[in-house]
Amino acid sequence: MRVFAIADPHLSRAHPKPMTIFGPGWQGHPEAFFRGWREVVGPSDLVIVAGDISWAMRLSEALPDLLDLGALPGKKVLLKGNHDYWWPSISRLRAVLPEGMYALQNDALVLEGVAVAGTRGWQYPPETLEDERILAREVERLKLSLKSLEGKPHRHLVVAFHFPPFGPSGEASPLLELAAQAGPKAVVYGHLHGADPARLPQDHRGIPLHLVAADALRFRPKLVLEAD
């Protein structure tokens, strides 16, 4: 099974929102997103969608976007982003997800020997006391996610975040340090738009770090693991 990742699809079928206001890199969105996915992902693959899935404000408005994702090839694992205001309780969300689509929240998923864990994350370093509180909460959520893998055999682990798990100078956040302790084969993150991937940290303690924001990938999911 191949594992791909992409973040920030920023879909908005219920209330179309042109993304070109954020720069020329979004030209052709969202059609380019769906076309790029179909060009690289096969039916037996797994795709991590690392947050900022839909601009919707309510689950009912996000459902068309979730169904559009569900119709694409492969299995999907969803992670919440900072713009996913529509994301309800995890039980409500899981009740409406199409077959082959999963959502992570304080837990992890194992499919065909591949474990996917993660949490949204937050900006680092924190600038305010509120940022410190949110970051500490995200650390606890990652702990719960990784702990949920106890007793679940797996050969490979990928840890996903929405926010980059490092600071502007590349310094590792507590989230990245915690993830590294679990020994993942890859760490993926999104959120950064217009960034030059070559100027970002490429690894941490030998663990590859992948920027998978949709515009950075030119809307083609990135292969991050080929599971044996």
Side-chain angles (χ1 to χ4, degrees), residues 4-217:
F4 292 84
I6 191 166
D8 306 279
H10 285 294
L11 304 176
S12 57
R13 190 144 72 87
H15 302 287
K17 180 173 182 176
M19 288 293 292
T20 49
I21 62 174
F22 297 104
W26 290 94
Q27 191 68 39
H29 173 273
E31 293 80 11
F33 171 81
F34 292 106
R35 181 172 62 249
W37 184 304
R38 292 190 178 98
E39 287 174 351
V40 298
V41 178
S44 62
D45 296 329
L46 175 66
V47 184
I48 300 167
V49 185
D52 280 4
I53 298 159
S54 172
W55 282 114
M57 299 298 290
R58 292 182 287 273
L59 178 58
S60 60
E61 297 173 341
L63 192 55
D65 297 325
L66 296 175
L67 294 176
D68 286 345
L69 279 176
L72 292 169
K75 300 180 180 66
K76 301 93 184 173
V77 181
L78 309 182
L79 197 73
K80 185 178 182 179
N82 59 304
H83 287 296
D84 288 317
Y85 299 113
W86 56 270
W87 190 292
S89 69
I90 193 62
S91 58
R92 282 188 61 208
L93 176 54
R94 288 173 176 165
V96 301
L97 290 180
E99 183 178 0
M101 184 179 287
Y102 310 89
L104 295 187
Q105 187 167 305
N106 300 339
D107 57 3
L109 177 74
V110 177
L111 287 174
E112 299 180 29
V114 175
V116 181
T119 190
R120 180 189 62 181
W122 198 245
Q123 67 180 46
Y124 183 80
E127 297 180 355
T128 66
L129 289 176
E130 178 66 7
D131 289 334
E132 291 180 7
R133 184 187 68 80
I134 295 173
L135 181 62
R137 183 184 65 194
E138 291 298 306
V139 169
E140 292 306 311
R141 286 181 168 173
L142 181 59
K143 288 179 180 178
L144 289 172
S145 177
L146 294 169
K147 184 175 178 59
S148 73
L149 290 172
E150 294 178 0
K152 298 178 181 178
H154 56 277
R155 299 185 304 277
H156 309 286
L157 170 64
V158 177
V159 176
F161 301 103
H162 177 65
F163 284 84
F166 50 81
S169 301
E171 64 275 28
S173 77
L175 287 165
L176 185 52
E177 296 291 2
L178 180 59
Q181 293 173 20
K185 294 295 179 68
V187 170
V188 305
Y189 65 93
H191 186 68
L192 298 181
H193 300 304
D196 180 358
R199 295 180 176 271
L200 299 171
Q202 302 300 302
D203 69 272
H204 178 66
R205 300 187 185 180
I207 301 164
L209 305 178
H210 299 277
L211 170 64
V212 296
D215 55 325
L217 301 181

